[in-house]
């Protein structure tokens, strides 16, 4: 009756391929390969997988945080090695993949640190989050959302008066008008428990556009430009309120429109 052997692991088979086993261990694996068809097939698969990993991952390793990686590897206790003296200077495939994995872990840690730093900087700009929320909302608008005739001036004034009461502003149809762009409606929303005014427009060329305003005690900030949800956003603050003009028009046009309305909006 034949003796039943424990099926070798992929690690053992890879070590066999790489010549890392002692003569006794290698003989044991060889005997098992000769006796068991599934083990032989697995060995053949792993042997075919002996691709040039070093060359393939060289660019990745070149970009890896080497100093941190070396520190991590140096902290791993040395293990007795049965490797023959003829083993190539470059680490075996198992050690190489281990180093690669470690470099990826280190890289991921650094990436997360960078993301964390970015978020901490963003947190200093209290306007960033509300602009993101508004962009999500406005991105749902289509020209059909704002279809219909342009309201008469007295209707515009009435809608804007409701915003004035909540925000402590003095808005008029003339103050919020944008040249060549139709005023569609003014309404009060809410963000984080605070009133958020939205004046919606329809640009015949590029579609929906909106001027949004919230109270803010941040320091005055000159207009700046960013992109959100495929739209251009010009934002600024005056010490009491934060403003943003968002739309699909080109950046230079959005900047010019924002500068015009900024000069007309009075507190």
């Amino acid at each position: 009756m034949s003796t039943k052997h424990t099926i070798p692991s992929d690690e053992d088979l890879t070590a066999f391929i790489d010549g890392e086993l002692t003569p006794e261990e290698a003989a044991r694996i060889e005997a098992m390969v000769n006796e068991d068809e599934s083990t032989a097939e697995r060995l053949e698969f792993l042997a075919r997988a002996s691709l040039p990993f070093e060359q393939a991952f060289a660019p990745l390793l070149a970009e890896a945080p080497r100093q941190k990686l070396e520190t991590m590897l140096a902290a791993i206790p040395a293990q007795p090695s049965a490797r023959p003296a003829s083993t190539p200077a470059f680490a075996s495939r198992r050690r190489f993949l281990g180093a690669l994995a470690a470099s990826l872990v280190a890289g991921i840690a650094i990436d997360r640190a960078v993301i964390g730093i970015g978020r901490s900087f963003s947190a200093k700009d209290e306007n960033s989050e509300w602009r993101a929320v508004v962009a999500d909302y406005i991105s749902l608008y289509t020209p059909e959302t704002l279809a219909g005739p342009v309201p008469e001036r007295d209707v515009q004034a009435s809608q804007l008066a409701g915003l004035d009461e909540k925000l402590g502003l003095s808005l008029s149809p003339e103050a919020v008008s944008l040249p060549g762009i139709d005023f569609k409606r003014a309404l009060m929303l809410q963000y984080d428990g605070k009133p958020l005014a939205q004046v919606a427009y329809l640009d015949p060329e590029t579609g929906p556009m909106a001027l949004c305003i919230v109270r803010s005690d941040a320091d005055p900030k000159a207009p700046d430009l960013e992109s959100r949800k495929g739209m251009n956003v010009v934002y600024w603050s005056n010490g009491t309120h934060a403003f943003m003009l968002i739309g699909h028009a080109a950046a230079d046009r959005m900047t010019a429109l924002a500068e015009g309305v900024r000069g007309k909006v009075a507190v």
Side-chain angles (χ1 to χ4, degrees):
M1 186 174 69
S2 62
T3 302
K4 184 175 181 63
H5 298 286
T6 302
I7 297 176
S9 65
D10 283 357
E11 182 179 7
D12 291 336
L13 293 174
T14 304
F16 176 79
I17 295 169
D18 290 337
E20 296 181 341
L21 300 180
T22 63
E24 292 79 9
E25 291 172 330
R28 180 178 65 85
I29 295 295
E30 185 173 358
M32 295 173 67
V33 169
N34 291 333
E35 294 176 4
D36 184 71
E37 184 177 352
S38 62
T39 301
E41 291 175 351
R42 187 63 181 170
L43 179 66
E44 181 181 2
F45 171 83
L46 293 172
R48 288 199 306 269
S50 299
L51 301 175
F53 290 107
E54 180 181 8
Q55 293 87 340
F57 287 98
L60 179 59
L61 289 177
E63 296 177 3
R66 290 182 177 275
Q67 184 175 359
K68 185 167 183 178
L69 172 59
E70 289 170 1
T71 302
M72 294 169 63
L73 294 179
I76 301 175
Q79 298 293 332
S81 175
R83 183 186 308 281
S86 60
T87 300
F90 180 73
S92 70
R93 178 173 56 216
R94 285 190 302 161
R95 289 184 60 194
F96 172 78
L97 293 178
L100 175 61
S103 72
L104 290 175
V105 169
I108 290 169
I110 288 177
D111 285 344
R112 287 178 178 172
V114 170
I115 292 171
I117 291 171
R119 286 176 177 171
S120 68
F121 282 135
S122 297
K124 295 179 181 179
D125 177 7
E126 69 173 30
N127 295 326
S128 179
E129 187 175 348
W130 84 275
R131 293 198 305 270
V133 171
V134 169
D136 285 339
Y137 185 71
I138 300 299
S139 68
L140 301 177
Y141 280 17
T142 68
E144 290 72 24
T145 306
L146 301 171
V150 175
E152 297 292 336
R153 187 193 180 284
D154 60 338
V155 175
Q156 295 182 29
S158 176
Q159 293 178 3
L160 291 169
L163 308 186
D164 290 346
E165 182 180 349
K166 293 286 186 179
L167 290 177
L169 288 172
S170 179
L171 300 175
S172 67
E174 292 74 24
V176 300
S177 66
L178 301 178
I181 299 174
D182 293 336
F183 176 108
K184 285 297 183 175
R185 68 187 183 214
L187 66 159
M188 183 62 67
L189 305 174
Q190 180 174 289
Y191 167 73
D192 197 23
K194 298 185 294 185
L196 188 160
Q198 180 195 107
V199 182
Y201 308 86
L202 186 60
D203 180 5
E205 297 180 5
T206 63
M209 189 177 295
L211 171 68
C212 298
I213 310 168
V214 293
R215 286 186 181 272
S216 172
D217 56 5
D219 294 334
K221 178 178 176 59
D224 204 349
L225 177 71
E226 65 184 3
S227 178
R228 292 183 182 272
K229 294 291 185 177
M231 296 174 285
N232 287 310
V233 180
V234 183
Y235 61 98
W236 69 95
S237 59
N238 62 9
T240 58
H241 296 80
F243 303 80
M244 65 180 284
L245 182 68
I246 179 171
H248 298 273
D252 55 351
R253 184 166 179 240
M254 291 294 295
T255 300
L257 290 169
E259 192 60 39
V261 75
R262 175 172 173 253
K264 295 184 294 183
V265 173
V267 177

